[in-house]
Amino acid sequence: MDHNMIQDLAEVLISEEAISHRIRELGAEISRDYLGKELVLAGVLRGASFFMADLARAISIPLIIDFISISSYGPATKASGVVGIRKDLDESIGDRDLLVVEDIVDTGLTLSYLLKIFRARQPSSLQICTLLDRKVRRIIDLPIAYRGFEIPEKFIVGYGLDYHQRYRNLPCIGVLKPEMMTG
Ligand code: IMP
Ligand code: MG
C-alpha cells in the first residue's frame, strides 16, 4: 500500500522547483546585503525548519543559525495568538544582525510578538525573511525585508507547513482536498 501525500492535494500552489529557484535568489540578495555583518538567522519552529535549511545553504557568507519555539492558541487553521516562548534562542543577539526566518506571515501576530522580544535584546539590526506572505490576512503591519512569494487566502501545507502536524515533509506547497480537512 502506498500513500503518496501528493494525492491529498487539490492543487499545487508552488512547485519544488519554484521554491528552490526563489530561495537561491533570496540567498544571493541576503549574501550581498549582510556582507561584513554578524548575521544570525533565527528560525521559528517547527514550520520554518525546511526553509531555514535551504535558505542557509543559499547564503554564501558566514552566519549562525538558531531557532525559537513559541506556543500559541489552537491549531494554525484558526487565527493565531501567541502565548509565550517554549524554547528560546541559544545565542545572544546583542550587537549581532538578526534575520528572523519564518515559513509564513499571516495575521502578523506571531512575528510582532517575536519582534518585540528580539528588539528588547538590542541587536545591531533586525529584519524579517519569510517564504510566504498572505498579505490579505494581515492584522498587524510588519516590515518584511525578504519575501519569497505572496499567496492567496487559502490554507496550505507542505515545505514545513502542516495540517495537524502532517504534510510538513511534502516538497512542494499545496492546497489540501476539502475531504482531507476534517479536524
Ligand atoms: P500569524 O501569527 O497569523 O502571522 O501566523 C503565522 C503562523 O501560523 C505560521 O508560522 C504558521 O505556523 C501558521 N500558519 C498560517 N497560515 C498557515 C497555513 O496556511 N498552513 C499552515 N500553517 C499556517
Ligand atoms: Mg510557523
Side-chain angles (χ1 to χ4, degrees):
M1 279 226 297
D2 178 42
H3 181 174
N4 189 327
M5 293 177 295
I6 281 284
Q7 297 161 357
D8 300 348
L9 296 183
E11 174 195 358
V12 173
L13 211 59
I14 311 173
S15 71
E16 193 176 350
E17 293 72 26
I19 294 171
S20 120
H21 181 260
R22 185 71 186 111
I23 291 177
R24 278 199 294 276
E25 290 177 344
L26 290 173
E29 208 181 324
I30 292 167
S31 304
R32 279 196 300 276
D33 294 353
Y34 284 86
L35 187 65
K37 307 230 166 155
E38 292 284 322
L39 177 58
V40 177
L41 300 181
V44 186
L45 291 173
R46 287 171 248 180
S49 56
F50 293 78
F51 181 38
M52 170 69 103
D54 288 338
L55 180 69
R57 283 176 291 184
I59 298 174
S60 56
I61 59 168
L63 57 79
I64 290 172
I65 63 163
D66 204 348
F67 288 97
I68 190 165
S69 175
I70 55 200
S71 37
S72 49
Y73 305 107
T77 37
K78 305 276 169 354
S80 57
V82 183
V83 183
I85 297 178
R86 203 192 321 256
K87 180 227 165 280
D88 204 342
L89 297 178
D90 293 319
E91 298 291 325
S92 67
I93 55 170
D95 296 325
R96 285 170 161 174
D97 295 281
L98 191 67
L99 183 57
V100 183
V101 176
E102 251 293 30
D103 49 0
I104 181 169
V105 183
D106 190 46
T107 62
L109 288 169
T110 306
L111 267 185
S112 73
Y113 171 84
L114 283 176
L115 288 186
K116 206 169 352 153
I117 289 173
F118 291 150
R119 213 173 279 131
R121 300 177 188 179
Q122 300 186 305
S124 305
S125 67
L126 177 55
Q127 300 287 355
I128 296 167
C129 175
T130 186
L131 180 64
L132 308 170
D133 182 6
R134 193 184 282 123
K135 222 183 261 172
V136 289
R137 290 249 309 158
R138 199 63 37 81
I139 293 173
I140 302 175
D141 192 39
L142 294 168
I144 296 179
Y146 307 94
R147 124 178 350 94
F149 303 91
E150 194 173 324
I151 53 153
E153 198 171 359
K154 285 177 180 170
F155 185 80
I156 51 170
V157 295
Y159 199 73
L161 293 143
D162 72 299
Y163 173 67
H164 294 313
Q165 296 307 330
R166 307 288 178 180
Y167 299 103
R168 292 194 198 271
N169 59 322
L170 197 64
C172 61
I173 292 169
V175 182
L176 280 178
K177 289 176 179 162
E179 63 264 33
M180 302 313 298
M181 301 187 62
T182 49

